Amino acid sequence: MPYIAHIRKEDGDIQTVQEHLIEVKELAESYGEKINVKHLSGLAGMLHDLGKYTNEFRDYILAAIRNPDSPPRRGSVDHSTAGGKFLYQLLHTENMVPSQALVAEVVGNAIISHHSYLQDFLSPNLESPFLLRVRDKKAKELEGFEEIKHLFYQEVMSSEEFKQYIMNATTELEAYLSKDSSDSLENKLLFLSKYLFSTLIDADRTNTRLYEENSGGEEEVNHSVLFETYYTRVLKKIESFSVDTPINQLRADMSLQCDQFAEKPSGIYTLSIPTGGGKTLASLRYALKHAIRHGKRQIIYVVPFTTIIEQNASEIRNILQDDIHILEHHSNVIEDVEDDENEDGYASMNQRLKLAKDNWDSPIILTTMVQFLNVFYSKGNRNSRRLHNLAQSVIIFDEVQKVPVSCVSLFNQALNFLKTYAGCSLLLCTATQPALDFVEYKLDIHKDAEIVQHLDDVVRSFKRVNMVDQATEESFSTHQLASFIHEKQKEAQSILIILNTKSVVKALYETLKENEPHMPIYHLSTSMCAAHRKQILNEIRLLLRDEQPVICISTQLIEAGVDVSFHCVIRSLSGLDSIAQAAGRCNRHGEKGIKDVYLIDHAEENLKFLKEIKVGKEITKKILLDMKKDSKSHGGDLLSRIAMEHYFHHYYADPKLSSKLNYFVPKLEKNMTDLLTESKRTSSYHDAYVSKHGKPVPLFLVNSYKTAADHFEVIDNVTTSVLVPYGEGKELIATLSGEENIDDITKLLRTGQQYSVNVFQYELDKLSENQALISYFDGKLLAMKESAYSNEYGVNLNNDSPIDVSIF
């Protein structure tokens, strides 16, 4: 009987170890080739399941198939260690060549980790999980290792061919390390490790999925042909616009500048189009032209909030006339499995969840900053799987000023890798460019980075609002604010109020509903799913279009990228970048001459846990006070480039934030940048190891990849994605049976994002306490009961919303 990699549940067919290793190798090679590491990726692919060449694993798989309700004991057969041990024994010897030893460390780590996450070379407890696997206890427990090697040489690649393959891989590593002499060895190898890990995870899962689906392969989408078609449609759309006003003429000029700039080589550039300047269309024009000229594979939009994805995706679909090839990725609807090695080989539910197509291979992708950073730094291999598909892409960071402070250095390091090693062109797109060079790990931005010419003149030409300071003299309670809004209604038909916390937004909404019973009043917050917010915004837009009275109260989610235009905006004091975005929701097209944006200080907002907003508010208030004393201070305009540069300089220098720029981990008293990229010479963990053991760690790398990932959260409070019973979400939840095939799960991952909400841990605990949750797929997916979701407010922690009985 052959050695078994997988057994197909549908018909009992066997995929042999030989078939799986060779096919995964070929897929991994194709992914690695994008950054010239074909053989390094292929090496991981051909060795990852080497441990399946044993009778023990064959017996294990057959027992699991025969007894699906009581499979063999977890971890009873280790099949991921053998490939790492093989490389270590072959290349990490006493007379080793350093570059080959690095191949054993980098590729070996990907192999032993492909059912979990990249292991620490040296952990805070001064042990090496990597060496434990490839050299010490775990390696010594492997049975039949010599026979495993014999079978590999016999069935996968001969000894002589394998030696040459390793030489090719070593040459690739040396070429990769020769790039960019200013970058440290550890930093280069961090991102190479993550890239190789990504190619292995995706190759392994893709091959297994195609086998489980009994599919010979997938139809290739020709991205370059699509981009040519898209570009023609973009130009046609632009030609349809009128240029009869100065603002429309400016928009047309900036769009043309983007087109011309796209001819330039790949790099990191900025696009500082003022709010309302047609940023989405202009950046899309740049991306398509650049992709065509320079052979880029994908176009990826990275935005701070899911609301921007919803609008941008809709706008891009309308322009490109394509619903199929544009992927929105808000969040992971299904949680990753921590370690599923014991389930590999047969299609359990966990395996089907894992194998679902979730790898960012669409021509155009829209995702969030959280998801982008998770690809590089978060634990779990669902996130890591997507990384290789960022290579050779045009990546547009919309509203880049919203990068969380703690992630600024990590963000810069990721972008530098994508630019230098992965052939990407990166566009920082915003009306308020942040000062990302005020940090230790600087962004390798082009010296002539800005696309828009004569930027100060453009900003002045786009002036459509007056900023009215109501914040430095007084503060407003909810009832005082309601009275203030009532007064403003007399002169403005439509009013948008943006406050800093969900609780005051809800309180003001309820007060206004009581005081203004005949006025259309809307409430927006992140407690609502994407489809719910989209429905509310559509209703608001209809009222605005018809010049009908309307009031909207929202958190900051409405600020960036949401195309609405109110006669009047009231903004609770916050960071200057947020205020600039809020101003962009007022008189957006200059149709009403010059309108007013009022800045107020809301007395009932609790910013104790919103440190970044609190610091931003304090700096903005100081700028306002400066301008009160001298009207010409800060360029004489709160939204001037001079004021914005002053704001960001002081923002990143503030003691409450500057200590966080390198992602400080309090529990370890260490920066994440150090965990990931410290050298042996500077590592405090390595110094302690030498003191304890009297000798150095016998590795070139001593970084703590898994420890860093375990402590990484883009936002301070980790959230869980939960499906909600809103609109089609009800049907989606109703169809969940736990018996879905992989294709069904793939559709669920995509559709479910529109009908899910990310809840904080305390909210999850409250929902659980109130019996508001339904669990699917052994707890990997959660959904809310109907009574836990309100058509007015979204998530209802008390689980007492009235159930819609109209269907009866």
Side-chain angles (χ1 to χ4, degrees):
M1 188 176 187
Y3 289 97
I4 301 169
H6 300 99
I7 297 179
R8 188 158 52 225
K9 184 177 182 180
E10 180 183 65
D11 57 9
D13 185 71
I14 287 173
Q15 183 187 40
T16 67
V17 176
Q18 179 192 40
E19 290 167 342
H20 182 57
L21 293 183
I22 290 172
E23 289 167 10
V24 171
K25 164 187 164 289
E26 290 170 353
L27 272 176
E29 285 177 339
S30 69
Y31 301 156
E33 204 161 17
K34 291 184 282 189
I35 70 164
N36 301 314
V37 292
K38 170 183 175 179
H39 294 89
L40 286 165
S41 293
L43 197 56
M46 77 169 93
L47 294 176
H48 78 288
D49 274 356
L50 198 59
K52 291 185 177 180
Y53 268 129
T54 63
N55 293 329
E56 287 78 14
F57 187 80
R58 180 164 53 196
D59 294 343
Y60 168 84
I61 287 296
L62 292 172
I65 291 294
R66 290 166 187 151
N67 303 289
D69 296 327
S70 56
R73 179 177 59 83
R74 180 181 179 84
S76 57
V77 177
D78 170 4
H79 66 268
S80 61
T81 294
K85 178 182 178 179
F86 186 25
L87 274 186
Y88 185 83
Q89 281 192 353
L90 203 61
L91 306 178
H92 223 291
T93 59
E94 287 184 14
N95 301 314
M96 64 187 168
V97 177
S99 54
Q100 289 194 344
L102 281 173
V103 169
E105 291 181 22
V106 173
V107 178
N109 200 353
I111 292 169
I112 66 173
S113 306
H114 76 272
H115 282 289
S116 52
Y117 189 77
L118 289 169
Q119 297 298 301
D120 288 348
F121 290 106
L122 182 60
S123 294
N125 61 5
L126 308 184
E127 292 181 354
S128 175
F130 175 79
L131 285 175
L132 181 68
R133 293 286 296 278
V134 302
R135 185 197 67 179
D136 300 332
K137 184 184 175 187
K138 281 277 188 181
K140 290 171 184 174
E141 290 173 355
L142 286 180
E143 294 183 15
F145 186 64
E146 292 305 314
E147 178 63 14
I148 288 173
K149 291 193 293 184
H150 171 73
L151 287 165
F152 170 78
Y153 287 135
Q154 179 180 301
E155 292 198 1
V156 181
M157 188 174 282
S158 72
S159 176
E160 287 305 310
E161 287 177 308
F162 190 58
K163 284 178 185 175
Q164 183 57 51
Y165 201 93
I166 286 174
M167 291 300 295
N168 293 341
T170 306
T171 301
E172 287 174 352
L173 177 67
E174 291 167 348
Y176 173 88
L177 292 177
S178 69
K179 288 186 181 180
D180 189 11
S181 59
S182 65
D183 210 356
S184 72
L185 173 77
E186 288 74 19
N187 197 65
K188 291 176 181 180
L189 292 176
L190 162 71
F191 288 103
L192 178 61
S193 296
K194 289 177 179 286
Y195 189 90
L196 296 178
F197 186 54
S198 172
T199 65
L200 174 56
I201 296 299
D202 197 20
D204 183 25
R205 292 188 179 184
T206 297
N207 175 255
T208 306
R209 174 176 61 81
L210 293 174
Y211 168 73
E212 285 292 339
E213 292 174 345
N214 201 7
S215 169
E218 294 177 305
E219 186 178 340
E220 286 288 324
V221 177
N222 191 323
H223 291 197
S224 59
V225 172
L226 270 179
F227 290 157
E228 293 275 7
T229 303
Y230 292 162
Y231 181 67
T232 301
R233 289 172 183 169
V234 164
L235 293 185
K236 187 176 180 181
K237 181 75 173 179
I238 289 168
E239 287 168 6
S240 72
F241 292 147
S242 169
V243 289
D244 56 349
T245 67
I247 281 185
N248 283 343
Q249 183 61 56
L250 267 176
R251 287 173 178 148
D253 290 346
M254 289 186 290
S255 175
L256 181 60
Q257 288 174 40
C258 285
D259 193 288
Q260 294 167 343
F261 203 91
E263 300 280 356
K264 294 194 175 188
S266 298
I268 302 177
Y269 301 108
T270 61
L271 177 60
S272 302
I273 289 182
T275 304
K279 183 158 41 74
T280 301
L281 186 56
S283 62
L284 180 61
R285 184 175 183 179
Y286 164 85
L288 288 168
K289 178 80 169 286
H290 190 80
I292 292 165
R293 287 288 184 271
H294 299 279
K296 302 305 181 189
R297 294 168 178 265
Q298 288 168 297
I299 295 169
I300 301 168
Y301 277 84
V302 180
V303 302
F305 309 121
T306 54
T307 44
I308 307 178
I309 291 183
E310 294 148 24
Q311 175 170 298
N312 284 9
S314 177
E315 187 176 348
I316 289 169
R317 283 193 181 98
N318 289 338
I319 294 167
L320 303 184
Q321 301 162 44
D322 188 348
D323 286 328
I324 298 171
H325 299 111
I326 299 167
L327 170 67
E328 294 178 57
H329 186 260
H330 301 235
S331 59
N332 291 338
V333 175
I334 296 174
E335 289 303 303
D336 219 348
V337 180
E338 283 288 323
D339 183 353
D340 64 349
E341 183 163 4
N342 66 304
E343 296 180 12
D344 192 18
Y346 59 99
S348 66
M349 176 47 70
N350 275 344
Q351 289 299 95
R352 279 180 280 156
L353 295 177
K354 182 186 83 169
L355 297 175
K357 192 173 180 183
D358 190 21
N359 60 350
W360 286 8
D361 63 350
S362 299
I364 295 183
I365 299 162
L366 294 97
T367 191
T368 64
M369 182 61 71
V370 169
Q371 296 303 318
F372 173 79
L373 289 167
N374 279 347
V375 164
F376 286 95
Y377 301 111
S378 185
K379 64 183 178 181
N381 46 36
R382 185 184 297 280
N383 296 307
S384 303
R385 179 181 181 183
R386 303 167 182 139
L387 195 156
H388 76 89
N389 273 325
L390 298 179
Q392 300 294 336
S393 296
V394 183
I395 309 180
I396 298 165
F397 296 90
D398 199 3
E399 310 302 347
V400 72
Q401 77 280 359
K402 295 295 184 183
V403 177
V405 167
S406 61
C407 297
V408 168
S409 289
L410 296 175
F411 175 78
N412 287 354
Q413 287 178 297
L415 263 62
N416 289 344
F417 163 76
L418 290 171
K419 175 241 176 187
T420 303
Y421 302 96
C424 292
S425 199
L426 306 134
L427 194 60
L428 310 182
C429 195
T430 176
T432 54
Q433 289 291 347
L436 294 177
D437 57 349
F438 288 135
V439 296
E440 179 184 351
Y441 295 90
K442 291 179 171 53
L443 197 61
D444 187 15
I445 197 164
H446 197 277
K447 62 183 178 65
D448 297 314
E450 179 53 51
I451 294 179
V452 177
Q453 300 170 23
H454 311 299
L455 191 55
D456 288 341
D457 293 339
V458 171
V459 171
R460 279 192 291 273
S461 299
F462 264 86
K463 183 175 175 63
R464 291 152 296 165
V465 298
N466 282 321
M467 306 302 294
V468 183
D469 175 13
Q470 300 275 165
T472 53
E473 294 290 334
E474 60 180 325
S475 61
F476 286 73
S477 68
T478 294
H479 286 286
Q480 287 172 318
L481 181 54
S483 299
F484 183 74
I485 293 164
H486 181 74
E487 286 300 310
K488 295 303 157 193
Q489 274 182 269
K490 297 173 183 176
E491 55 196 67
Q493 275 191 309
S494 57
I495 301 177
L496 170 65
I497 306 98
I498 304 173
L499 306 176
N500 289 320
T501 66
K502 287 192 284 188
S503 59
V504 292
V505 164
K506 187 176 180 182
L508 179 62
Y509 172 75
E510 290 173 342
T511 301
L512 288 175
K513 286 278 282 186
E514 188 176 331
N515 294 352
E516 312 281 347
H518 304 298
M519 170 69 68
I521 299 173
Y522 292 88
H523 158 271
L524 282 170
S525 89
T526 51
S527 291
M528 299 166 175
C529 68
H532 192 172
R533 290 194 300 265
K534 184 177 180 181
Q535 176 61 33
I536 290 174
L537 283 167
N538 285 342
E539 292 178 24
I540 291 170
R541 287 191 184 101
L542 285 175
L543 291 168
L544 292 172
R545 185 198 67 186
D546 295 338
E547 296 280 332
Q548 295 297 310
V550 61
I551 293 174
C552 177
I553 309 107
S554 177
T555 58
Q556 63 176 336
L557 67 85
I558 200 172
E559 285 177 345
V562 180
D563 187 8
V564 288
S565 180
F566 289 81
H567 292 175
C568 171
V569 169
I570 300 168
R571 181 53 165 106
S572 183
L573 203 57
S574 64
L576 196 54
D577 57 326
S578 289
I579 288 169
Q581 293 298 328
R585 308 313 119 196
C586 183
N587 193 28
R588 190 167 175 81
H589 306 292
E591 65 272 27
K592 300 293 180 183
I594 301 292
K595 304 299 287 184
D596 291 329
V597 173
Y598 296 92
L599 301 180
I600 61 111
D601 188 357
H602 198 301
E604 296 166 20
E605 286 180 344
N606 181 2
L607 303 181
K608 181 180 178 182
F609 298 108
L610 300 171
K611 191 177 293 183
E612 294 178 22
I613 293 177
K614 188 176 182 180
V615 170
K617 174 180 176 177
E618 291 167 356
I619 298 169
T620 302
K621 195 165 189 175
K622 286 176 184 174
I623 294 174
L624 286 171
L625 289 169
D626 289 345
M627 294 181 70
K628 216 166 197 176
K629 293 174 188 173
D630 178 4
S631 62
K632 295 181 181 179
S633 178
H634 304 291
D637 183 351
L638 186 65
L639 303 184
S640 71
R641 183 174 53 84
I642 295 169
M644 205 62 68
E645 285 179 358
H646 175 91
Y647 169 79
F648 278 116
H649 180 79
H650 285 80
Y651 182 72
Y652 288 122
D654 188 280
K656 292 187 283 294
L657 300 182
S658 59
S659 61
K660 297 171 58 180
L661 289 170
N662 293 337
Y663 203 108
F664 183 68
V665 182
K667 188 175 179 181
L668 302 175
E669 296 186 342
K670 207 170 183 67
N671 287 328
M672 190 164 293
T673 49
D674 293 335
L675 287 170
L676 292 169
T677 61
E678 263 190 327
S679 69
K680 234 172 149 176
R681 181 175 50 81
T682 60
S683 168
S684 59
Y685 288 166
H686 189 253
D687 287 346
Y689 181 94
V690 172
S691 295
K692 180 179 178 181
H693 298 282
K695 58 182 179 181
V697 177
L699 295 169
F700 286 94
L701 294 172
V702 293
N703 303 107
S704 309
Y705 296 163
K706 189 172 189 306
T707 296
D710 286 343
H711 287 89
F712 180 73
E713 295 169 5
V714 178
I715 51 177
D716 288 339
N717 293 300
V718 69
T719 58
T720 300
S721 187
V722 182
L723 285 176
V724 299
Y726 176 84
E728 290 181 30
K730 292 181 184 179
E731 298 170 27
L732 196 63
I733 293 169
T735 61
L736 293 173
S737 65
E739 292 301 321
E740 282 74 14
N741 61 38
I742 295 168
D743 189 48
D744 289 337
I745 295 168
T746 299
K747 292 173 184 174
L748 167 66
L749 292 174
R750 297 195 174 187
T751 308
Q753 294 178 96
Q754 291 288 323
Y755 302 96
S756 64
V757 172
N758 292 326
V759 297
F760 293 110
Q761 187 59 49
Y762 79 90
E763 294 173 314
L764 196 67
D765 293 342
K766 186 75 173 175
L767 288 166
S768 182
E769 178 187 323
N770 290 329
Q771 300 181 322
L773 298 174
I774 311 164
S775 172
Y776 297 95
F777 306 147
D778 298 325
K780 301 299 182 300
L781 184 147
L782 296 173
M784 288 180 196
K785 295 179 180 177
E786 281 199 51
S787 49
Y789 195 84
S790 159
N791 282 337
E792 194 167 16
Y793 298 110
V795 176
N796 175 3
L797 299 180
N798 294 323
N799 191 25
D800 57 5
S801 294
I803 294 174
D804 182 5
V805 295
S806 59
I807 57 172
F808 300 108

